[in-house]
Amino acid sequence: MDHVMKLDDQSSRYTKGRRNHLKACSNAEVDDVSSFQPFGNPRGPAPVDGYLQVTQIDMLMRNNKANHKTVLYSNPLLIVRRGQEFSVQISFNRAYKPGSDRFQLEFRIGGSPQIDQNTTIIVSPNPGENTSWQGRLLQSPSRTILMGITPAAACIVGKYRMYVVVITPAGLVRDMITSQELYILFNPWAADDTVFMSNESELSEYILNQTGIIYNGDNNTPIPRPWNFGQFESGILDACLLVMDDATIPLSSRGDPVIVSRQASARLNSTDNINGVLVGNWSDNFSDGYAPTSWTGSVKILRSYAQGRKPVRYGQCWVFAGIFNTFLRCVGIPSRVITNFNSAHDHGGSLITHIYVNQNGETDKVRTTDSIWNFHCWNEAYMTRPDLPVGFGGWQAVDCTPQETSDGMYRCGPVSISANKRGIICYSYDAPFVFSEVESEVVVIEEEPNGDDKVLQVNQSYVGSLILTKEIGQDTLMDITYTYKYPPGSTEQQMAMATAQNYGSASNRSALPKEDVEIKVLAENTMIGKDFKLNIQFKNLGRSVHNIDAVVAGNVIYYTGVLGPKISDSAFSVNLEPLKTVVKYVEVNAKDYMSKLLDQGNLSFFVRAKIKEMGQVISTQSVVTLQGPKLTIEVTGNLKVKQKMYFTVKFTNTLKYDLTKITVTMEGAVVFASKTKEYSHIASMSSITWTESFTPTNEGPNTLIACLDCALLRQVHGWVNFTIQP
Amino acid sequence: MDHVMKLDDQSSRYTKGRRNHLKACSNAEVDDVSSFQPFGNPRGPAPVDGYLQVTQIDMLMRNNKANHKTVLYSNPLLIVRRGQEFSVQISFNRAYKPGSDRFQLEFRIGGSPQIDQNTTIIVSPNPGENTSWQGRLLQSPSRTILMGITPAAACIVGKYRMYVVVITPAGLVRDMITSQELYILFNPWAADDTVFMSNESELSEYILNQTGIIYNGDNNTPIPRPWNFGQFESGILDACLLVMDDATIPLSSRGDPVIVSRQASARLNSTDNINGVLVGNWSDNFSDGYAPTSWTGSVKILRSYAQGRKPVRYGQCWVFAGIFNTFLRCVGIPSRVITNFNSAHDHGGSLITHIYVNQNGETDKVRTTDSIWNFHCWNEAYMTRPDLPVGFGGWQAVDCTPQETSDGMYRCGPVSISANKRGIICYSYDAPFVFSEVESEVVVIEEEPNGDDKVLQVNQSYVGSLILTKEIGQDTLMDITYTYKYPPGSTEQQMAMATAQNYGSASNRSALPKEDVEIKVLAENTMIGKDFKLNIQFKNLGRSVHNIDAVVAGNVIYYTGVLGPKISDSAFSVNLEPLKTVVKYVEVNAKDYMSKLLDQGNLSFFVRAKIKEMGQVISTQSVVTLQGPKLTIEVTGNLKVKQKMYFTVKFTNTLKYDLTKITVTMEGAVVFASKTKEYSHIASMSSITWTESFTPTNEGPNTLIACLDCALLRQVHGWVNFTIQP
C-alpha cells in the first residue's frame, strides 16, 4: 500500500498541468458525491419543494438473482450480470408524472467516478435518452414505479452504488439515504458479452459447478484430485474484487476479460508482489505454512488473503490453478483447470529442452536450466479476442503459477489455444512459452570424460503427451490433447512447428540419432511402502546381434522434474538377438525409498544402455507414481432438507510404517467450510474414523471432499457426490 | 533493492524442487568462477606441467574500436559490436602446437553464467568446433597467436569477461590474471543483426550523432530545441547497462531490441519504479529540482542517476525522449526523437477524445479526462520484428514518458509504425494507444444550462496534424507525418480507421454537425512581453446572411493542453453577408499574461460563436506560442587541435520586465559536460556576456548548446556548429 500512496502523492503534486491523472484502480467507494449538484453557478439551497422525492428502493432480490443465475452466491446484496435486464422498484412521495417530472438513475463505481471512464453511468427511464445502459418503465407509473435496467454488455465488472437522481431546474437532487449497492458480473449467457458461451451444459460446468477434479500423477496413471472451488461461498466475491484492486487493474479495464484474467494471473502469486495471494513453494519444507497437498479447495486461501492481506503459504501448480478457477468462475468468466503431462518449462526461450546428464545418468544441475514437469496445471478461460484477428477466440490458456516472467512480471496468458495449435505464436500474450510447454523437443546431452558433449537422445513426442480436464457434468476425464496439438509427426504438426519457427522463437529441430535398440520401462502394483519390480524391455530393431551394458539409476523426483536423493543403482548385461525382445527385472525395495519420498510420491528411473558393437549409447527415463492407501467417505441419514445427515471418513494405514502428525480435512461447497482434525499418530495397520453431522437447508446435488495429509503420505484424498431431497 | 533481495531469498528457499530459478537480471559480475575445473571427480591439483600457460592478452584496442565504430566512446575498455569479427593477441609461455595443445576462449556475463542461457560462450580457435560464436587463428601460430572472434549477431548485449582456458586431460585450467573485460553492443552495421540499417548516412545520424534537435512549440511554429545526447560520454554506457539491470531485464533477453527498448521505456521514468531514472513533473513548481526546460542534454541526468541511484528531478516529454535516445544510440539501436503536434492522450481506450466545455468556453475539469497535448515527443527505434508477421519491421515507436499504463506499468511500445499506419493495431505493444495519439477524433461537447450535453464540434484532422524529426545530416526539420498516417479524409485513411475499429479499440466515428460558418484564428509578432493582436476571421460558407454573437476566452495553457488562469475575455457581434469573410481584431496585452505565463509560453484562445438565425453554436481553439528574446553564441580563436578557443554567450533582456534567478548552461558532447552560471538579476534592456575557453584534443565537427532559464522565460536556447582543424 505504501507504493500506491506514493503514486497518489506524486499524482497530485506533479501532474497539475496534466489532465490525465493516474487511473482509479480500486473498487472501494470514495464518498465524494453530493446530495445536490447545481447547474451553472450555485444559487443557494436546492428548491426541492414540489419536486419528486424518493422514499424507498426495492432491489427485487429473489427475482433478479434467479433471472441472472446468481442465486448460489452467499451474499446479501443484489448480484446481476451485464447485458441483461434487471428490475428495481422505486417509491416516491407522490405519483410520478412522466410529462413534467424528470429523474434518472446514477450508477457509480470506485473513487472519483467519471462518465468518460464509464465509472459513472446515467440511466433514464425514457429509452430515447439512453445510449449505453438501457432503461425503461415496466409498468404504467404511479407512486411506485417498476424500472428495468440493462447494463451494457461491455460494462465494468465490480461493485456499484445506485442513486435515484431527481432533475430540478436548479440542479440535480441525488437521494443518498435510499442508495443501494449491487454487483455486476460478466455474463456468459448474454450473446453480446465477450465471454458468451452458447451451450447450457458447458455453462453448468464452467460457471456454476463449485466442485471439480484436478489431475495429478503421471502420463500413465493420472490421479484425480477433488477440489472445492467454492466460488459462491460468502466472502469470495469480495476477495476476487480485492485481487483486482491489488493487481491495480484500472477500473475502466475491468470489463475486459483479457486484461482481467492477465493481471489476475500476476496477482494470484506472490513472486513479484509482496502482497500476492499465494506463495509458491517447491521445496519439501512447509513447516511455517500448509503443505500444498493438504488443501482441499480455494475458499480458505482466498478468505485468508482477504482478511490478512498477506500471502498465504503454500501452493504448487494445482493450488494456483484451483484458486484462479475460483476467481474466474466467481466473476463470471467460464473456466476450467487443465493438466499437461510432461510439461516443458523452457527457460531459454527456444523450443528445445536441453537436459545434460553425466555417465551415471545424473542430471548436471549447473548446466541444465530447462526442465520437464511430470505434470503442470493451468487454467483455460473462455472469451472472444477482439484484440486479435478473427478466429482466435474460444478457450485461452492463463496460468498464475510463477514460472517465467512475462513482460516484466510472473504471469502468463491469455493465449489463444487455437492459434497456438497452428504455431501462430505472434499474438499476445506469452504464446511462445505455452507452445513450448506442449510442443518442445527434448534433447538429452551426455558429458563425455574429456569434457565434450554428445547428444544421447532426441524426443519429439515426450512433451505434452497428454492434456486432460474434467468431463462436463461427470467426474471422469476429458482428453483435450488434440485442442493443443496435432498428432506428433503429422504433416500438420510439422507445419505448426515451421510456423512457430518463423516467428523467431525456435531453433532448428535437432537431427534424430538413429537407434537400433528400443527400451521400455514398465512397473505394476506400485503401492507406497511395498516392494515392486521394474520391468525393463530391450527390443532389437536391427538385423545384427547386440550386446548391451545397462545401468539403471533410481531417484525420488519432484513433480517439477528435479531429481531428489538416489534410491537404487543396478547394472547388468543383455544379449539381444536380431528382432528379439529381452525383459530384465529390477527390484525396488520400500526400505530404500520410504525415508526419501517427496510429496507427490514419484520415483524416476533413468536407463542408460551402451551397445558394445557400435559404441552407441541410448537412454530412457521413466517416472513411476506410487499409489497410497485410500480413504473412504460414507454418507448416512435421510438426505432431506432440514434433517440431520452424517459424513464418516475412514482410513486404514496399510503401510508397514507408522504415520505421525496427520491432518484430515473435510470440505464441501455448500455443506461446510473446511473442517480439520489432527491426529498425532496412526500406527501401521490401524484405522481412524471421523464422523461429522450436517443439516442441509437447500435441496439439490452436492459434493463432500476429504483429504489426509502427513509428511510420509501426501496424496490421500476422496470425494462423494450426494443429492438432498426436498 | 529490498524487493530484489526478497526475490533472491525466496528463490533459494522455496524453489529447491524446481530447476528453474529466477533469471539473472544483473550485468554485475559474480566471482563464482574457478581457476581449475576438473573432469569427472576431482583428482587432486591440476597437472599443468608441460601444458600451455597464458602470459598476456592484448585486446588490440585501437584497431578493434576503429573497425567496430566505437572510437567515440570515452571508455578505457574494448567495445565491439556483435556479428562482426574482432581480434585479440594471446601470448603463451611457449609456442602453441595446434595438433597437441588445446585451448578455448570463455566469455562470461553476469552472475552464475550458463551455456544454456547464452551467458557463458565457449569459442575454440578451430572453426569446426564452434556453433554459435566463431573463432579462428588469423596468423600461423607461434608463442603469440592472433585470434579472430565473431560474437553471434543475436548475442547478449552488455559487459563480458573473457578468459583463456587451457584444456588438459585432468580438466580445464582457466587463467584468471590475464582475463579481460569488454563490452559487446548491438550492431546496426551487421546484416544479421535485427537492428541492421543499410544506409551509412542514416547510421551517422541515428547512431553516431551525439547532438540533435527536438521540436517543441506548436503546429504553426515548431521551435527547435538543441539537445546533447552525449551517448559516448564517459560513464554513459555503464549508466545504460545499469538501467537494464534496474529494469530487471533478464540477461538472456538482452540481445533482443524489442525487449530491451520496451523495458527501458518503463525504467526511464520513475512512476511505477521508486528508483526509475527521471521524475515527470507537469506542475509549474520545480523548486526542489531542475525545471524540465533548463536541461541541455542527457549526460547530467544519466550520470546523476548512476551515481545517486535516485530519480532525477524533473522531466517532461522532450527530456524523457532525450534520455531514451541517448540510451538507444549508446547500446547500438538506431533511434531518433520525433514530435507529434496536437497529440491526443486517450484516457479511455477509445479512438475519440472527448472535451467537455461550458458556455464560457471553459473546460469542465471533472468530466474531461482525455486531453490533447500541443505537442508530445517520443522515440523511434529501428529494428526487425521477428515476433510479428513479416512486414512490420523498421521504425518502431517507443515512449518512456509516463502517460498510460501498459500491461501493468507506465511504458509504451515498441509499436510498428507501418502496421499502425494501416490500422493494424492488434500486435504488441500498445498499438491502439499510439494509433489514437495521431488519429483520434476530437469531439467537443457543450453542457447546456439544463444539464444536457450537445456536440459542439467534431474534428477529424486536428490530432496528429504534423509529425517532425530532425533531418539526416542537417539541422533542419523532416516532416514524417506520412509515415504515421494517410492524408485525412482519404480512402486509405478511412480503411485504416475501419481496420482499427475491427480490432475493437474504437467507437463509431461521430457524425459531423454541418457548419455554415468557418472561424480561423491567426496571430503575428507574438513576442513575449509585447502586446499583440489576434486576427479572427469569420467566413460565411452559406447563401444567407448570418448575425453572430462571439466570445473569445484567452487562457495560458500547459503544453499538455490543460488550461491555466484566464488572461482575457472579449465579446462582439459580426454581421456576415453570404460567401463573405469578416475579420475582427482582439487586443492581447502583455500586462494581462506576463504574471501568469507557464513554462512553454503558450496561450490558448477559445472562440465560441452563436449564429442567431439558426441557434447553432460553433467553436474553435487556437494555441499561440510566444517567442522570447534569443541568445547568441560566438566562437572565436583558431579552431585547431591543442589551441585555445572561446565560446561567448550573449543575451539581452528585451522585455519590459526584469528577470531574476537566471541559470545559463553551456554543454557540448565532446567539448565539456554542462557548465552552469547563475545570475540573480538581469534588468530590462540590459545584457549579459559569458565566455568560456576550451582546448580541443580531437579534430572534427562539433556542437555547443546554450540555454537560459528562469521562471519568467523558459524557452531561450541556441546552438552553434563548428569544426576543429588538425
Side-chain angles (χ1 to χ4, degrees):
Chain A
M1 287 306 290
D2 285 357
H3 188 45
V4 174
M5 293 301 289
K6 185 186 155 288
L7 291 181
D8 289 342
D9 288 355
Q10 184 165 322
S11 171
S12 56
R13 177 162 171 211
Y14 296 149
T15 60
K16 181 184 170 191
R18 281 178 56 164
R19 197 167 286 142
N20 307 74
H21 292 231
L22 298 176
K23 283 190 175 177
C25 293
S26 169
N27 199 83
E29 263 182 274
V30 175
D31 190 14
D32 61 348
V33 64
S34 58
S35 59
F36 179 62
Q37 187 177 314
F39 296 132
N41 292 320
R43 309 172 198 179
V48 289
D49 285 0
Y51 286 92
L52 272 187
Q53 283 175 41
V54 188
T55 57
Q56 201 184 339
I57 300 178
D58 184 338
M59 299 303 275
L60 307 174
M61 210 70 82
R62 179 187 292 264
N63 221 354
N64 283 324
K65 282 192 170 179
N67 290 338
H68 286 256
K69 310 265 196 320
T70 59
V71 172
L72 292 169
Y73 286 88
S74 276
N75 193 304
L77 297 179
L78 178 62
I79 302 172
V80 294
R81 298 183 188 274
R82 61 191 198 176
Q84 180 179 339
E85 188 171 60
F86 66 96
S87 49
V88 298
Q89 188 180 286
I90 303 167
S91 306
F92 293 110
N93 61 330
R94 58 163 174 79
Y96 163 65
K97 287 164 278 175
S100 54
D101 291 325
R102 286 182 72 196
F103 81 93
Q104 60 196 20
L105 300 188
E106 197 177 270
F107 292 83
R108 299 167 72 97
I109 183 167
S112 305
Q114 292 177 315
I115 292 175
D116 258 38
Q117 296 292 297
N118 298 314
T119 46
T120 295
I121 301 101
I122 308 294
V123 186
S124 160
N126 310 316
E129 294 176 7
N130 291 313
T131 53
S132 143
W133 295 26
Q134 291 306 309
R136 57 175 181 146
L137 292 181
L138 297 172
Q139 289 172 355
S140 56
S142 65
R143 202 162 150 157
T144 290
I145 62 156
L146 186 67
M147 185 167 161
I149 301 125
T150 309
C155 81
I156 293 168
V157 162
K159 194 177 185 181
Y160 288 77
R161 183 172 282 277
M162 182 187 93
Y163 300 86
V164 177
V165 178
V166 176
I167 303 165
T168 75
L172 306 175
V173 180
R174 186 178 285 113
D175 194 75
M176 312 295 279
I177 295 161
T178 56
S179 74
Q180 297 282 338
E181 286 185 312
L182 74 162
Y183 298 89
I184 301 183
L185 306 184
F186 290 102
N187 191 354
W189 282 270
D192 291 350
D193 198 312
T194 56
V195 300
F196 175 65
M197 190 168 225
S198 58
N199 183 313
E200 198 63 41
S201 62
E202 290 184 343
L203 286 162
S204 294
E205 182 70 37
Y206 298 136
I207 289 288
L208 299 179
N209 197 347
Q210 300 185 65
T211 318
I213 290 170
I214 302 177
Y215 290 92
N216 294 3
D218 66 61
N219 207 10
N220 298 311
T221 45
I223 296 178
R225 166 185 282 280
W227 197 265
N228 179 27
F229 299 121
Q231 67 268 34
F232 303 125
E233 294 295 292
S234 95
I236 298 304
L237 177 53
D238 286 323
C240 293
L241 296 187
L242 182 67
V243 168
M244 291 202 219
D245 285 0
D246 287 350
T248 63
I249 305 176
L251 280 175
S252 53
S253 298
R254 292 206 194 163
D256 183 344
V258 174
I259 292 174
V260 167
S261 62
R262 173 160 184 74
Q263 304 306 354
S265 84
R267 192 68 196 185
L268 289 170
N269 71 69
S270 72
T271 308
D272 318 277
N273 312 295
I274 292 164
N275 290 320
V277 175
L278 185 63
V279 182
N281 184 338
W282 284 265
S283 78
D284 42 9
N285 179 0
F286 312 113
S287 55
D288 57 350
Y290 295 90
T293 44
S294 72
W295 301 107
T296 44
S298 312
V299 176
K300 203 166 150 189
I301 297 171
L302 288 167
R303 276 192 193 145
S304 164
Y305 172 72
Q307 282 157 18
R309 302 300 292 275
K310 283 206 180 123
V312 179
R313 295 159 187 249
Y314 288 106
Q316 291 182 3
C317 68
W318 68 93
V319 191
F320 284 104
I323 60 171
F324 202 177
N325 216 52
T326 302
F327 173 87
L328 292 165
R329 290 188 185 177
C330 182
V331 299
I333 303 173
S335 68
R336 58 190 185 186
V337 177
I338 73 102
T339 301
N340 177 38
F341 289 96
N342 299 332
S343 189
H345 179 168
D346 177 12
H347 201 47
S350 73
L351 294 183
I352 299 179
T353 303
H354 291 103
I355 309 289
Y356 294 87
V357 295
N358 68 16
Q359 298 210 307
N360 304 322
E362 286 159 354
T363 307
D364 180 332
K365 291 184 183 179
V366 174
R367 295 185 64 190
T368 305
T369 55
D370 292 340
S371 60
I372 300 167
W373 297 29
N374 297 341
F375 65 86
H376 178 48
C377 301
W378 62 75
N379 301 77
E380 290 181 0
Y382 195 85
M383 61 189 79
T384 60
R385 288 295 300 268
D387 55 328
L388 306 185
V390 172
F392 298 138
W395 287 115
Q396 311 288 320
V398 286
D399 187 353
C400 68
T401 299
Q403 288 200 315
E404 291 289 314
T405 53
S406 159
D407 207 6
M409 285 190 231
Y410 281 87
R411 57 186 167 182
C412 180
V415 180
S416 164
I417 289 164
S418 63
N420 250 42
K421 183 178 182 181
R422 289 183 271 155
I424 304 170
I425 58 174
C426 60
Y427 295 110
S428 298
Y429 297 89
D430 310 312
F433 183 75
V434 174
F435 186 83
S436 179
E437 281 179 309
V438 300
E439 286 281 17
S440 180
E441 172 182 277
V442 182
V443 178
V444 180
I445 296 159
E446 188 171 84
E447 296 162 340
E448 305 269 289
N450 68 352
D452 288 348
D453 287 340
K454 183 176 161 182
V455 172
L456 204 60
Q457 187 191 336
V458 176
N459 198 322
Q460 299 182 340
S461 60
Y462 183 72
V463 162
S465 54
L466 180 66
I467 305 173
L468 295 182
T469 188
K470 174 186 174 299
E471 184 58 87
I472 298 165
Q474 320 176 18
D475 289 350
T476 54
L477 59 80
M478 186 201 287
D479 183 342
I480 55 166
T481 316
Y482 72 95
T483 67
Y484 278 83
K485 50 197 290 188
Y486 292 101
S490 65
T491 313
E492 290 87 349
Q493 192 241 15
Q494 304 291 341
M495 278 189 55
M497 186 60 68
T499 306
Q501 285 171 354
N502 272 346
Y503 292 113
S505 298
S507 317
N508 294 323
R509 295 216 115 177
S510 316
L512 274 166
K514 200 166 160 264
E515 290 180 2
D516 223 12
V517 172
E518 200 179 84
I519 309 176
K520 268 194 192 158
V521 181
L522 298 171
E524 282 173 22
N525 292 318
T526 55
M527 301 301 293
I528 196 164
K530 298 262 163 88
D531 303 342
F532 65 91
K533 277 195 182 110
L534 274 188
N535 165 330
I536 305 174
Q537 298 179 357
F538 295 84
K539 186 172 183 180
N540 189 344
L541 304 170
R543 308 218 160 250
S544 53
V545 175
H546 288 316
N547 282 288
I548 292 170
D549 284 340
V551 291
V552 180
N555 288 71
V556 296
I557 186 172
Y558 291 84
Y559 89 97
T560 56
V562 169
L563 291 186
K566 177 164 283 193
I567 55 163
S568 69
D569 240 344
S570 46
F572 49 82
S573 296
V574 182
N575 175 273
L576 259 189
E577 295 293 321
L579 304 174
K580 291 286 185 218
T581 298
V582 169
V583 178
K584 291 280 179 179
Y585 294 95
V586 171
E587 286 277 344
V588 181
N589 294 318
K591 68 173 168 43
D592 294 329
Y593 67 71
M594 275 309 284
S595 61
K596 295 165 187 162
L597 268 191
L598 295 165
D599 47 357
Q600 297 280 333
N602 289 330
L603 303 178
S604 154
F605 296 95
F606 190 89
V607 183
R608 180 181 176 278
K610 181 162 188 176
I611 308 174
K612 285 184 188 169
E613 288 76 11
M614 320 164 70
Q616 197 191 8
V617 174
I618 56 176
S619 73
T620 191
Q621 186 187 10
S622 181
V623 172
V624 169
T625 303
L626 297 171
Q627 314 273 338
K630 306 281 180 231
L631 59 72
T632 59
I633 312 172
E634 276 176 24
V635 183
T636 50
N638 268 335
L639 306 197
K640 284 189 174 172
V641 169
K642 291 185 185 161
Q643 302 211 15
K644 222 174 206 178
M645 55 178 292
Y646 302 90
F647 302 104
T648 304
V649 171
K650 289 185 183 172
F651 171 79
T652 300
N653 176 10
T654 55
L655 306 186
K656 280 185 278 181
Y657 304 83
D658 290 3
L659 303 177
T660 54
K661 284 194 187 168
I662 304 101
T663 306
V664 184
T665 306
M666 282 197 243
E667 172 168 4
V670 185
V671 188
F672 37 62
S674 93
K675 290 197 179 188
T676 295
K677 197 161 177 154
E678 313 265 348
Y679 296 85
S680 60
H681 189 256
I682 306 178
S684 171
M685 303 314 293
S686 70
S687 301
I688 60 159
T689 301
W690 172 26
T691 301
E692 283 284 335
S693 69
F694 168 62
T695 308
T697 50
N698 296 307
E699 63 186 85
N702 225 314
T703 304
L704 186 97
I705 295 166
C707 172
L708 179 145
D709 195 73
C710 62
L712 207 58
L713 210 54
R714 292 223 182 262
Q715 292 288 344
V716 184
H717 33 67
W719 76 96
V720 61
N721 297 322
F722 55 93
T723 301
I724 302 296
Q725 307 297 334
Chain B
M1 286 303 290
D2 286 355
H3 187 45
V4 174
M5 294 301 289
K6 186 186 154 288
L7 291 181
D8 289 342
D9 288 355
Q10 184 165 323
S11 170
S12 55
R13 176 159 173 214
Y14 296 148
T15 61
K16 181 183 171 192
R18 283 178 54 164
R19 197 168 285 144
N20 307 73
H21 292 232
L22 298 175
K23 282 190 174 175
C25 293
S26 169
N27 199 81
E29 263 182 276
V30 175
D31 191 14
D32 61 349
V33 64
S34 59
S35 59
F36 180 63
Q37 186 176 316
F39 295 133
N41 291 321
R43 309 171 198 179
V48 289
D49 286 0
Y51 286 92
L52 272 186
Q53 283 174 41
V54 188
T55 57
Q56 202 183 338
I57 300 177
D58 184 338
M59 299 304 275
L60 306 174
M61 210 70 81
R62 179 187 292 262
N63 222 355
N64 283 326
K65 282 192 170 178
N67 289 339
H68 285 255
K69 310 264 195 322
T70 59
V71 171
L72 292 170
Y73 285 88
S74 276
N75 193 304
L77 298 179
L78 179 61
I79 302 171
V80 294
R81 296 182 190 275
R82 62 190 197 175
Q84 179 179 341
E85 189 172 60
F86 67 97
S87 50
V88 298
Q89 188 179 286
I90 302 166
S91 304
F92 292 111
N93 61 330
R94 60 164 174 78
Y96 164 64
K97 287 164 280 176
S100 56
D101 290 326
R102 288 181 72 194
F103 81 93
Q104 61 196 21
L105 300 188
E106 197 176 270
F107 292 83
R108 297 167 73 98
I109 183 167
S112 307
Q114 292 177 315
I115 291 176
D116 258 37
Q117 294 292 298
N118 298 315
T119 46
T120 294
I121 302 100
I122 307 294
V123 185
S124 161
N126 311 315
E129 294 175 7
N130 291 314
T131 52
S132 144
W133 295 25
Q134 290 305 311
R136 57 175 182 146
L137 292 181
L138 297 173
Q139 288 172 354
S140 56
S142 66
R143 203 161 149 157
T144 290
I145 62 158
L146 186 67
M147 186 166 160
I149 301 125
T150 309
C155 81
I156 292 167
V157 162
K159 194 177 185 182
Y160 287 79
R161 184 171 282 278
M162 182 187 91
Y163 300 87
V164 178
V165 178
V166 176
I167 303 164
T168 76
L172 305 176
V173 180
R174 184 179 286 113
D175 194 76
M176 314 294 280
I177 295 159
T178 57
S179 74
Q180 298 280 339
E181 285 185 312
L182 74 161
Y183 297 89
I184 302 183
L185 306 184
F186 289 102
N187 192 354
W189 282 270
D192 291 350
D193 197 312
T194 55
V195 300
F196 175 65
M197 189 168 226
S198 57
N199 183 312
E200 198 63 39
S201 64
E202 291 185 341
L203 286 163
S204 294
E205 183 70 37
Y206 298 136
I207 290 289
L208 299 179
N209 197 349
Q210 299 184 66
T211 318
I213 290 170
I214 303 177
Y215 291 93
N216 294 2
D218 65 61
N219 208 10
N220 299 312
T221 45
I223 297 178
R225 167 185 282 278
W227 197 264
N228 179 28
F229 299 121
Q231 68 268 34
F232 303 125
E233 293 295 292
S234 94
I236 298 303
L237 178 53
D238 286 323
C240 293
L241 296 187
L242 182 67
V243 169
M244 290 202 221
D245 285 0
D246 287 350
T248 62
I249 305 176
L251 281 174
S252 53
S253 299
R254 293 207 193 162
D256 183 344
V258 175
I259 292 173
V260 167
S261 61
R262 174 161 183 73
Q263 304 306 354
S265 84
R267 193 68 195 184
L268 289 170
N269 71 69
S270 73
T271 308
D272 319 275
N273 310 296
I274 292 163
N275 290 319
V277 174
L278 185 64
V279 182
N281 184 338
W282 285 265
S283 79
D284 42 9
N285 180 1
F286 312 114
S287 54
D288 57 350
Y290 295 91
T293 45
S294 72
W295 300 107
T296 45
S298 312
V299 175
K300 203 167 151 189
I301 297 171
L302 287 167
R303 276 192 193 145
S304 163
Y305 173 73
Q307 281 157 20
R309 303 300 291 277
K310 283 203 179 127
V312 178
R313 295 160 187 251
Y314 288 105
Q316 290 180 4
C317 68
W318 68 93
V319 191
F320 284 104
I323 60 171
F324 202 177
N325 217 49
T326 302
F327 173 88
L328 292 165
R329 290 189 185 176
C330 182
V331 300
I333 302 173
S335 68
R336 60 189 184 187
V337 177
I338 72 103
T339 301
N340 177 38
F341 289 95
N342 300 333
S343 191
H345 179 170
D346 178 11
H347 201 48
S350 74
L351 294 182
I352 299 180
T353 303
H354 291 103
I355 309 289
Y356 293 87
V357 295
N358 66 19
Q359 297 210 308
N360 304 321
E362 287 158 354
T363 307
D364 179 333
K365 291 186 182 180
V366 173
R367 293 186 65 191
T368 305
T369 55
D370 292 341
S371 60
I372 300 167
W373 296 29
N374 297 342
F375 65 86
H376 179 48
C377 302
W378 62 75
N379 301 77
E380 291 182 358
Y382 195 84
M383 63 188 77
T384 60
R385 288 294 300 267
D387 55 328
L388 306 185
V390 172
F392 298 138
W395 288 114
Q396 311 289 319
V398 286
D399 186 353
C400 68
T401 299
Q403 289 200 313
E404 290 290 315
T405 52
S406 159
D407 207 5
M409 284 189 232
Y410 281 87
R411 56 185 168 183
C412 180
V415 180
S416 165
I417 289 165
S418 63
N420 251 42
K421 183 177 182 181
R422 290 184 270 153
I424 305 169
I425 56 173
C426 60
Y427 295 110
S428 300
Y429 297 89
D430 308 313
F433 184 74
V434 174
F435 185 84
S436 179
E437 280 178 310
V438 301
E439 288 278 18
S440 180
E441 171 182 277
V442 183
V443 178
V444 179
I445 297 159
E446 188 172 82
E447 296 162 340
E448 306 269 290
N450 67 351
D452 287 348
D453 289 339
K454 182 175 161 184
V455 172
L456 205 59
Q457 187 192 335
V458 177
N459 197 323
Q460 299 182 340
S461 60
Y462 182 72
V463 161
S465 55
L466 181 66
I467 305 173
L468 296 181
T469 188
K470 174 186 174 297
E471 184 58 87
I472 297 165
Q474 320 175 20
D475 288 351
T476 52
L477 58 80
M478 188 200 286
D479 183 342
I480 54 166
T481 316
Y482 72 94
T483 67
Y484 279 82
K485 50 197 290 189
Y486 292 101
S490 65
T491 313
E492 291 87 348
Q493 193 241 15
Q494 303 293 341
M495 278 190 56
M497 187 59 68
T499 307
Q501 285 172 354
N502 271 345
Y503 291 114
S505 300
S507 317
N508 293 323
R509 295 217 117 178
S510 315
L512 274 167
K514 199 166 161 261
E515 289 180 2
D516 223 14
V517 173
E518 200 180 81
I519 308 175
K520 267 192 195 163
V521 180
L522 298 171
E524 279 174 23
N525 292 318
T526 53
M527 300 301 292
I528 195 164
K530 300 261 161 90
D531 302 343
F532 65 93
K533 278 195 181 108
L534 274 190
N535 166 329
I536 307 174
Q537 299 178 356
F538 295 83
K539 187 173 183 180
N540 189 344
L541 304 170
R543 308 220 158 249
S544 52
V545 174
H546 288 314
N547 282 287
I548 293 171
D549 285 339
V551 292
V552 179
N555 288 72
V556 298
I557 185 172
Y558 292 84
Y559 88 98
T560 55
V562 169
L563 292 185
K566 176 164 285 193
I567 56 162
S568 70
D569 239 344
S570 46
F572 48 82
S573 296
V574 183
N575 175 273
L576 260 188
E577 296 293 320
L579 301 174
K580 293 286 186 217
T581 298
V582 169
V583 177
K584 289 281 180 180
Y585 294 96
V586 172
E587 286 277 341
V588 182
N589 295 318
K591 66 174 169 43
D592 295 328
Y593 67 72
M594 275 310 284
S595 61
K596 294 165 187 162
L597 269 191
L598 296 165
D599 48 359
Q600 298 279 332
N602 290 330
L603 303 179
S604 154
F605 296 94
F606 189 89
V607 183
R608 179 180 177 279
K610 181 164 188 176
I611 308 173
K612 287 185 189 167
E613 289 74 14
M614 319 164 69
Q616 195 190 9
V617 175
I618 56 176
S619 73
T620 190
Q621 186 186 11
S622 181
V623 172
V624 169
T625 304
L626 296 171
Q627 314 275 336
K630 305 282 179 228
L631 59 72
T632 61
I633 312 172
E634 277 176 22
V635 184
T636 51
N638 269 333
L639 307 198
K640 284 190 174 173
V641 170
K642 290 185 186 159
Q643 302 210 16
K644 223 173 205 178
M645 55 180 291
Y646 301 91
F647 302 103
T648 303
V649 172
K650 288 185 182 172
F651 171 80
T652 300
N653 177 10
T654 54
L655 306 187
K656 282 186 277 182
Y657 304 83
D658 290 2
L659 303 178
T660 53
K661 283 196 188 167
I662 305 101
T663 306
V664 185
T665 306
M666 282 199 242
E667 172 168 4
V670 184
V671 188
F672 38 62
S674 94
K675 290 196 178 189
T676 295
K677 197 160 177 154
E678 313 266 349
Y679 296 85
S680 60
H681 189 256
I682 306 178
S684 172
M685 302 316 291
S686 71
S687 300
I688 59 159
T689 301
W690 171 27
T691 301
E692 283 284 335
S693 70
F694 169 61
T695 309
T697 49
N698 295 307
E699 62 186 85
N702 224 315
T703 303
L704 186 95
I705 295 167
C707 173
L708 180 144
D709 194 74
C710 62
L712 208 56
L713 211 53
R714 293 224 183 262
Q715 292 286 343
V716 183
H717 34 67
W719 75 97
V720 61
N721 297 322
F722 55 93
T723 301
I724 303 298
Q725 306 297 335

